[in-house]
Amino acid sequence: MTKKLFIKTHGCQMNEYDSAKMFDLLEEKESFELAETEEEADLLILNTCSIREKAQEKVFHQIGRWRKIKEKNPNLKIAIGGCVASQEGENIIKRAPAVDIVFGPQTLHKLPDLYNEKSKTDINQIDISFPKLEKFNHLSVHGTGEPSAFVSIIEGCNKYCSFCVVPKTRGHEVSRTIEDIINEISALADKGTKEIHLLGQNVNNFKGTYKGEKSSLAKLIELTSKIENIERIRYTTSHPHEFKDDLVEIYDSVPELVSHVHLPVQSGSDRILKLMRRRYNVEKYLDLVQRIRNVRPDMSFSSDFIVGFPGETKDDFMGTMDVINEVRFDESFSFIYSPRPNTTASDMPDDVSNEEKKERLSILQNRLSQLSFGYSRKKVGTIQNCLIYGQSKRDPGQLQGRTICNRVVNFPSNNIDLVGQLINIKINEALPNCLRGNLQN
Ligand code: SAH
Ligand code: F3S
């Protein structure tokens, strides 16, 4: 009898990628099928995120809901993966005994064994070790022809920004080989994928070897662009400190590289950037933005911002607003600082009230929305070449695509054959976070 699997994913794109790999693996090795509901599953997997406290709290609430399902179906197994699993290990089972399996971002390939062992012996299984890149030896590519696909190129992070748990939960940086990555991309392209989204916590520190020579992210992008069928390339996340000249220059020679980059600045105060241990200052960041814009004038920038870092003064915050106004960021992510276990910032004195932090966040988010809406409005009346991703989730009579600057575009059409194609759309309406248009004949 086939077994059924339900996966819930919290957090970043890397988690989405890992969850897809978990399904591929359990389908291939254990003939699992995707369950439509949690109630009909034999195995429930939660791929967790611990980047902020709120994300972590969600884990135990979810386990609480799943425990009730397990009470009715004692054969059901619950597995917890991702960064909370990596951070908490066996404490998860101590706090939530309904959990059977705990695994980390680097041990997801062991899931079939962990599941079988738990089923056979009823002994809880915990493996949150960091075997370097071992997981990729166990994962085959199951492209389904989706228009856009993630491909992990570098795992972990060595930066140890003072606020961030990622180096602890995902381990040290390790790059996959160029050969391995290109094989994965080629297999996806053969199935019909048009856009490749290269993934890592810090992709511009990617270090590969090609034909005996050391190769960077820029080289990998160039090689990716030469693969037949690949028409768009994205990458996330890049760290401003390691954005090398060859990466700036590649915007000139590789048209497949989209005109949007996520370049998290976090703060616009040199004092705070130093406390965050980000290794750049505002001047260097602005200079980098300018150099990229010199090569691609229509480049769109998005960023992450942390508001209310310990000791952030009004002046520090105004520095962040100045950078926002100078760069004129497009859609961005912003968060109130959340102290994380075993990070140096969590010991720093913090005298800013929560009210003040919330107010700063709202000022910052209002300005970012204004800028983003401004970008949308400027596109009205233009023709945008869009990659069509699929039907709009809200309205099946509409298809959805993205412009080269990463703006979502909805347009009326029932022609599913357009999915996966690059087509021209005439934009006739701007909403704050998306555009509306019509097919351009
Ligand atoms: N590797 C990426 C960031 C990964 S974490 C980079 O170099 O920027 C994603 C975002 O979460 C970060 O950019 C940061 O803005 C936010 N973040 C990380 N730790 C946080 C914390 N302790 N509190 C609030 N936001 C945090
Ligand atoms: Fe985190 Fe800084 Fe790495 S934000 S993921 S430690 S670059």
Side-chain angles (χ1 to χ4, degrees):
M1 214 178 72
T2 45
K3 290 165 285 190
K4 299 234 165 165
L5 165 70
F6 189 96
I7 309 182
K8 189 157 192 143
T9 308
H10 293 165
C12 65
Q13 292 157 329
M14 192 61 103
N15 267 11
E16 279 179 43
Y17 175 83
D18 283 348
S19 291
K21 295 294 179 192
M22 289 173 206
F23 170 65
D24 288 350
L25 195 76
L26 286 159
E27 184 190 37
E28 193 174 296
K29 301 230 162 110
E30 294 295 322
S31 311
F32 267 98
E33 279 176 4
L34 273 190
E36 273 171 29
T37 63
E38 286 146 304
E39 283 75 17
E40 66 172 28
D42 300 284
L43 172 60
L44 292 168
I45 300 178
L46 182 61
N47 195 4
T48 63
C49 170
S50 66
I51 200 80
R52 283 169 290 278
E53 199 180 349
K54 266 201 187 136
Q56 189 165 336
E57 276 169 17
K58 274 167 59 182
V59 175
F60 290 98
H61 292 149
Q62 183 61 62
I63 299 174
R65 286 192 290 271
W66 282 356
R67 185 175 50 106
K68 296 204 178 92
I69 302 179
K70 199 172 174 179
E71 279 162 10
K72 290 190 200 133
N73 172 12
N75 286 330
L76 172 68
K77 305 282 177 286
I78 299 180
I80 309 296
C83 287
V84 178
S86 175
Q87 187 182 290
E88 300 294 323
E90 61 181 345
N91 287 336
I92 294 195
I93 299 188
K94 280 194 190 135
R95 183 166 159 192
V99 173
D100 303 278
I101 299 164
V102 178
F103 63 100
Q106 299 303 333
T107 48
L108 63 91
H109 58 290
K110 297 190 180 171
L111 257 175
D113 288 347
L114 298 171
Y115 175 79
N116 283 330
E117 201 57 27
K118 170 72 198 196
S119 302
K120 248 193 293 171
T121 63
D122 203 32
I123 298 171
N124 292 332
Q125 301 293 310
I126 301 165
D127 189 342
I128 51 166
S129 57
F130 293 100
K132 276 191 184 174
L133 295 183
E134 192 183 283
K135 69 177 177 188
F136 291 101
N137 301 333
H138 297 258
L139 305 173
S140 50
V141 184
H142 279 245
T144 52
E146 66 268 62
S148 178
F150 293 128
V151 174
S152 165
I153 64 167
I154 177 168
E155 296 267 322
C157 183
N158 292 348
K159 283 277 169 293
Y160 289 94
C161 297
S162 64
F163 52 82
C164 184
V165 283
V166 170
K168 296 260 166 58
T169 57
R170 287 194 167 263
H172 278 168
E173 260 169 26
V174 33
S175 300
R176 289 176 72 190
T177 65
I178 290 199
E179 196 191 1
D180 202 16
I181 298 167
I182 294 296
N183 283 342
E184 181 164 342
I185 298 175
S186 303
L188 290 164
D190 283 349
K191 289 265 176 78
T193 292
K194 296 282 171 58
E195 178 180 84
I196 294 297
H197 196 147
L198 304 172
L199 277 188
Q201 295 301 335
N202 188 12
V203 283
N204 30 17
N205 208 21
F206 171 80
K207 292 186 173 80
T209 311
Y210 183 68
K211 295 194 173 161
E213 273 183 38
K214 281 192 179 160
S215 299
S216 60
L217 174 64
K219 182 74 195 172
L220 179 63
I221 289 171
E222 191 193 318
L223 293 170
T224 303
S225 72
K226 293 193 175 131
I227 295 173
E228 206 173 333
N229 264 337
I230 297 303
E231 307 208 38
R232 281 194 176 177
I233 304 169
R234 305 181 174 278
Y235 58 84
T236 321
T237 294
S238 48
H239 192 294
H241 174 61
E242 268 150 352
F243 209 105
K244 316 251 166 56
D245 287 347
D246 63 347
L247 190 55
V248 175
E249 284 152 20
I250 205 98
Y251 279 94
D252 197 25
S253 54
V254 177
E256 289 85 358
L257 192 54
V258 297
S259 298
H260 165 253
V261 66
H262 187 63
L263 193 62
V265 66
Q266 313 293 358
S267 164
S269 150
D270 286 345
R271 193 181 74 83
I272 296 291
L273 286 172
K274 205 160 183 191
L275 288 172
M276 287 179 164
R277 225 192 283 135
R278 288 291 289 181
R279 304 162 201 232
Y280 52 84
N281 57 23
V282 172
E283 193 188 340
K284 279 204 176 132
Y285 184 89
L286 294 178
D287 177 62
L288 174 59
V289 167
Q290 193 50 52
R291 283 189 291 131
I292 301 172
R293 280 198 169 133
N294 289 345
V295 183
R296 276 275 176 103
D298 65 341
M299 194 75 182
S300 148
F301 290 86
S302 59
S303 174
D304 296 338
F305 297 91
I306 295 182
V307 171
F309 187 81
E312 182 193 70
T313 62
K314 276 213 166 71
D315 271 1
D316 293 322
F317 174 68
M318 289 321 290
T320 305
M321 294 304 292
D322 289 346
V323 169
I324 290 175
N325 289 324
E326 173 101 22
V327 177
R328 306 184 72 78
F329 287 101
D330 204 350
E331 293 169 297
S332 293
F333 304 93
S334 43
F335 320 92
I336 289 184
Y337 166 74
S338 167
R340 305 311 295 129
N342 306 316
T343 56
T344 47
S346 64
D347 296 327
M348 293 179 189
D350 186 3
D351 55 4
V352 187
S353 74
N354 216 22
E355 260 62 69
E356 176 72 29
K357 289 183 183 186
K358 280 190 186 152
E359 199 183 319
R360 288 181 196 171
L361 183 69
S362 132
I363 295 171
L364 181 138
Q365 289 182 334
N366 281 338
R367 182 64 186 136
L368 286 170
S369 310
Q370 261 178 2
L371 288 168
S372 185
F373 200 7
Y375 274 107
S376 284
R377 277 196 298 251
K378 270 201 199 150
K379 301 285 183 223
V380 174
T382 64
I383 291 167
Q384 297 289 323
N385 194 240
C386 298
L387 177 62
I388 311 307
Y389 281 60
Q391 279 176 323
S392 148
K393 283 189 193 94
R394 290 213 187 121
D395 179 356
Q398 304 252 337
L399 290 179
Q400 191 168 80
R402 273 182 194 266
T403 68
I404 191 135
C405 291
N406 205 33
R407 190 54 107 241
V408 170
V409 179
N410 291 309
F411 61 100
S413 173
N414 291 313
N415 186 359
I416 290 294
D417 291 345
L418 294 179
V419 174
Q421 291 193 36
L422 275 160
I423 51 173
N424 285 338
I425 308 285
K426 173 96 188 270
I427 307 300
N428 51 31
E429 193 185 348
L431 302 171
N433 296 314
C434 74
L435 300 168
R436 288 210 176 124
N438 281 309
L439 267 172
Q440 173 78 7
N441 296 316

